[in-house]
């Protein structure tokens, strides 16, 4: 569920940014994930991606039959 939440969070950011760039949505000041000019946005996205990578690694270990 955490992985789905993070994926939706990054997808919504991307969809809003693409909509603003195409002129379909009003500007909200939301940047593309991993392309922020401030430090806090990049840090939050990198932490979220790190969590996703850890979830993927643990799932692959479980599929191989290794106990964690």
């Amino acid at each position: 569920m955490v992985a789905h939440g993070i994926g939706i969070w990054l997808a919504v950011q991307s969809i809003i940014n693409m909509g603003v760039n195409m002129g379909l949505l009003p500007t909200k000041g939301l940047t593309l994930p991993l392309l922020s000019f401030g430090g806090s946005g990049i840090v939050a996205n990198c932490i979220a991606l790190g969590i996703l990578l850890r979830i993927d690694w643990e799932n692959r270990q479980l599929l191989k039959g290794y106990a964690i």
Side-chain angles (χ1 to χ4, degrees):
M1 290 181 71
V2 172
H4 285 154
I6 293 172
I8 291 170
W9 172 37
L10 295 173
V12 167
Q13 279 185 340
S14 299
I15 290 168
I16 289 174
N17 190 283
M18 287 183 271
V20 168
N21 286 331
M22 289 188 290
L24 301 173
L25 296 172
T27 58
K28 294 290 180 194
L30 187 67
T31 62
L32 273 172
L34 301 175
L35 293 176
S36 171
F37 287 108
S40 61
I42 292 175
V43 170
N45 286 325
C46 286
I47 290 171
L49 287 176
I51 292 170
L52 278 177
L53 288 172
R54 180 61 187 205
I55 291 170
D56 178 57
W57 181 81
E58 288 184 11
N59 283 334
R60 288 176 190 261
Q61 294 299 314
L62 287 174
L63 288 174
K64 290 179 183 177
Y66 300 127
I68 296 177

